Amino acid sequence: MMSQRSERRGIHLDQSELLCKKGCGYYGNTAWQGLCSKCWREENQRERQKQIQEDWALAERLQREEEEAYASRHQRAQSQPTITPFSKFEERKTKEKSSKVNTVTKFFTPSAKTPPKKDTTSFDTQSSPSPSSSSSRHPPADTDHATREFIDFLKPLKSGREIFKQCRAFTESMVYKRDMGADELSECVQDFYQNLSDRLQTQFKGSTEHVESVMDEVEKYMMTRLYKEVFCPETTDDEKKDLAIQKRIRALHWVTIEMLCVPVDEEIPEVSDSVVKAITDVIEMDSKRVPKDKLACITRCSKHIFNAIKISKKEAASADDFLPTLIYIVLKANPPRLQSNIQYITRFCNPSRLMTGEDGYYFTNLCCAVAFIEKLDGQSLNLSPEEFELYMSGQASPHWPQGAGASSPGSAALSQVHKRLDLLTGLGERQDRVIEKARQLESDLIDWTDEVEQKVQSVLESFPQETHNPTATTASGTTSAAASAIDSDNVENERLPPPLQPQVFAG
Amino acid sequence: MGENVQTIPGGAQPHKDRTLNRQVRTLRVKMVLLGSSGVGKSSLAVRFAKNEFRDTSPTVGCAFLTQVVHVSDASLRFEIWDTAGQEKYHSVTPLYYRGAHAALLVYDISKRETFIRAQLWLKELEKHYIPGSTVIFLIGNKGDLAWDRQVSVQEGQNLAHEKGLSFIETSALSGDQVNELLLDVGKIQNILKVPLDGSRHQTEYLTVNRINAHFSLMYWISGVKK
Ligand SMILES: Nc1nc2c(ncn2[C@@H]2O[C@H](COP(=O)(O)OP(=O)(O)O)[C@@H](O)[C@H]2O)c(=O)[nH]1
Ligand SMILES: [Mg+2]
Ligand SMILES: [Zn+2]
């Protein structure tokens, strides 16, 4: 090996640079930080192992903290029961099945494992709003907050503790499934949702509302914790799709309200206000973690759209008006990570909320809008394929048509452009006038200083040299007068009694 | 969007007297309105939900509406999804009727063209049809315009029979047969393999495979035509 290497020296670059940095003799690769695939895998494994250990430590600590928090909260819950829609329901069920209750309520009794002293300390931290407990925690504050809220919500529930334990265990287990494909992750989460809701269904005797409200909180808790792991995961091409749709929307910047037949009149201030709000809401979707919160952004956006249409048309919007307007809003907003958000919601939201309910309706419309934008062509904008190509390639714009005679949608835009041009010319003229006046002012200033200088000069000349000095003395005279005034103050000070001397007292 | 309670004459029962000791089951029913522009989809939606005619109540929104109907020991919560009828949006509409219990395919009996279009819609629906999931209703609307009829009742019935659909002629203007239609839709719990129980695990908690199909469909749609 060594001799081989020295033989080749001079012709090739030093082979040691190509070899694995671990010195195992295989070739290394820059993509593997200079290691060979085997060493890189080993190294990576070690890293991962370390990470896993750290995660476990964190998980264990969290578990301890949460159990403490739970126990203390439970104490509080017992002393002052909270009134929730469930409490009555639970009461009734308690009467029905007293035998089963015993086994379940033990989840709520502070277990013997937890020392009572610890309970009281955490109880104290609970009762005072001091952030001492949260400051020692590593996970972000919102994750912590989600856990607290979840515990608070489950507290009055008979099986609350059990639900919490299961959700926490599942969430922790998901952290170790990072390498899983997005569809598998989604399947895992959806299976969990389904199993849990099936069990709740039996427990609540088919009261869908109760099951749904618990499931909402479960989703909120879990997705707040898992967001970073499962949003736009590396195993998918979500990011590529995000960039593609973003580019596409940018390329469609020339699409006008008229081409899409959008029934909103942005000249009306309230309408343009609603349009802005709709755009803001759809952009805001990206900043939310919980699928349900993201859906709420879409719903708010939709409500603003309905308002804009209602004011413009003076009648309520139908689906025929709504979808084109939503498309227009999406084109104007170019919302960040649009595909990732849609995929994330699809994978981790309760499916019933996507296919039914008002939120589901607006979400479906958003999906339709995106699908429409992706496949949009000249025909769907009432343009010829040639026109569409010209606009897409940027060779022409509907605002500046190639021919002088503009087509009907173009002429409206053209007249608007003319209006703007007139405005610009007007502004230019005003600017010229301002500049003119500024120049005038400048020359006036110069004239004025010249004038002053001349006057000073003539005054100086009219007086002989001797009179020049007295003027100087008068000036200094005033200063000396002021100085003597200060002195006279000092003189007066001399009339004050002498400063006190330190004295020694006999006592 | 408002929600009012209506009792259907002949078949529906006020729930108070029977269910004092029993919990009323709420069954969710998603209905999607499909069909060409101008056939009266939005008008039917407003008639279902508000029992009003759209032209005389222009302030009633008609994209997403709900209506609760009490039938024997259950409440049916109808969700009415209106869709954009313009030709250019047809390729994206399959997204709307996923997870729907009923798809109402509407045509205008006074416009033959809309009947022809309805047949094209049917072909499209069949492509994405999941057996036992969605019941398709063929609806000849504007029944009040019988004097100007371009599609006979027989033709509508034949098409429905051939494709195994339910058929009814309605009028959103007069309200004729609209409640009957709602009742028919409500009865689909007997037809569907999956009962319309409000519980998620039985009806709405669709399997992951199904939602994945839903959204791979979205990409299928965006791939179409280009
Ligand atoms: N005569 C009559 N006109 C109707 C009926 N339903 C709707 N229309 C009218 O048909 C037109 C289109 O209705 P619309 O609900 O907007 O149809 P959509 O485009 O399918 O939503 C409106 O002018 C309605 O007044 C009906 O049952 N009878
Ligand atoms: Mg309509
Ligand atoms: Zn190596």
Side-chain angles (χ1 to χ4, degrees), chain B residues 126-141:
Chain B
E126 280 166 356
K127 265 193 240 166
H128 312 293
Y129 185 68
I130 303 165
S133 63
T134 310
V135 177
I136 304 169
F137 288 74
L138 183 66
I139 292 156
N141 189 40

Side-chain angles (χ1 to χ4, degrees), chain A residues 208-277:
Chain A
T208 318
E209 276 157 53
H210 288 167
V211 177
E212 283 188 359
S213 62
V214 176
M215 289 311 294
D216 281 353
E217 293 301 314
V218 168
E219 183 191 301
K220 189 168 150 194
Y221 165 78
M222 282 179 28
M223 295 326 291
T224 307
R225 304 202 122 199
L226 290 174
Y227 181 74
K228 287 218 179 83
E229 316 284 338
V230 300
F231 185 88
C232 187
E234 280 168 24
T235 52
T236 64
D237 57 355
D238 291 358
E239 197 181 348
K240 220 174 82 193
K241 285 182 185 152
D242 284 336
L243 294 175
I245 188 81
Q246 198 167 36
K247 215 175 123 196
R248 172 105 178 134
I249 292 174
R250 234 180 277 138
L252 288 166
H253 66 91
W254 47 269
V255 174
T256 63
I257 251 189
E258 291 83 9
M259 290 176 191
L260 286 167
C261 306
V262 175
V264 300
D265 178 4
E266 286 183 287
E267 301 273 292
I268 304 168
E270 203 187 335
V271 172
S272 70
D273 191 46
S274 289
V275 166
V276 169
K277 281 179 182 156

Side-chain angles (χ1 to χ4, degrees), chain A residues 315 318-320, chain B residues 33-46 53-56 62 82-86 106 108 110-111 140-145 147 170-176 178:
Chain A
E315 68 171 40
S318 74
D320 291 326
Chain B
L33 287 157
L34 303 171
S36 308
S37 264
V39 296
K41 295 183 298 295
S42 306
S43 304
L44 275 172
V46 173
F53 187 51
R54 190 176 165 226
D55 288 12
T56 51
C62 47
D82 193 8
T83 60
Q86 297 97 312
V106 189
D108 175 351
S110 69
K111 281 210 179 67
N141 189 40
K142 307 202 187 177
D144 56 289
L145 298 179
W147 51 272
T170 58
S171 169
L173 175 75
S174 69
D176 192 35
V178 170

